[in-house]
Amino acid sequence: MTKQRLAVAEALAEVDDFATAQQLHRWLQDAERKVSLATVYRLLQSMADDGLVDVLRSGDGEARFRRCETERHHHHLVCRRCSKTVEVLAPAVERWAARVAEEHDFSDPEHTVEIYGLCASCRAELAQ
């Protein structure tokens, strides 16, 4: 593990929610950790490929990252209003993906699923 990778991992540990590469880079600069923005992007992609971080795309396509809470393959429920995110296991989705791939003679299917809605807190605030 390089010093830069360790610094990015420590920055992710400080984040409770998803953060952009630019936000993490800014945090590293504020903490006087010398990691270039390009390196932050590269390391986050590597960590995502290794299944160590979750990646969500915002409406404008920007990637947001956070440490995975579970090591198993999972999906996300995301609040459209506050961005609260819950990791969920979805065995029915896994079976469906495998079946669709098989029906079309594909192998090794990979997928991501994000379900967007309103969390209970945001619904309560909007109801007031």
Side-chain angles (χ1 to χ4, degrees), residues 17-19 54-58 61-66 75-78 83-86 112-116:
D17 200 1
F18 284 85
D54 287 326
V55 183
L56 287 180
R57 299 267 176 206
S58 62
E62 184 172 26
R64 296 183 178 279
F65 304 87
R66 78 166 182 189
H75 304 286
H76 302 101
L77 292 170
V78 183
S83 299
K84 173 185 177 179
T85 305
V86 177
T112 58
V113 174
E114 280 80 42
I115 302 169
Y116 293 87

Side-chain angles (χ1 to χ4, degrees), residues 7-68:
V8 171
E10 289 172 354
L12 283 167
E14 295 294 321
V15 176
D16 291 331
D17 200 1
F18 284 85
T20 66
Q22 293 89 350
Q23 290 169 325
L24 291 169
H25 181 253
R26 193 172 316 113
W27 184 88
L28 290 165
Q29 285 182 319
D30 292 346
E32 298 183 5
R33 305 294 292 269
K34 305 295 182 205
V35 183
S36 72
L37 181 57
T39 299
V40 171
Y41 273 107
R42 182 178 49 77
L43 289 171
L44 287 170
Q45 186 58 57
S46 172
M47 292 170 151
D49 292 345
D50 293 342
L52 301 174
V53 297
D54 287 326
V55 183
L56 287 180
R57 299 267 176 206
S58 62
D60 62 2
E62 184 172 26
R64 296 183 178 279
F65 304 87
R66 78 166 182 189
R67 287 188 322 168
C68 291

Side-chain angles (χ1 to χ4, degrees), residues 90-103:
V93 171
E94 308 312 317
R95 290 189 299 272
W96 172 81
R99 188 180 70 245
V100 168
E102 186 178 319
E103 287 172 2

Side-chain angles (χ1 to χ4, degrees), residues 97-128:
R99 188 180 70 245
V100 168
E102 186 178 319
E103 287 172 2
H104 296 278
D105 199 22
F106 278 66
S107 65
D108 303 318
E110 295 180 9
H111 61 277
T112 58
V113 174
E114 280 80 42
I115 302 169
Y116 293 87
L118 290 174
C119 71
S121 297
C122 286
R123 282 194 321 272
E125 285 180 25
L126 290 171
Q128 294 178 7

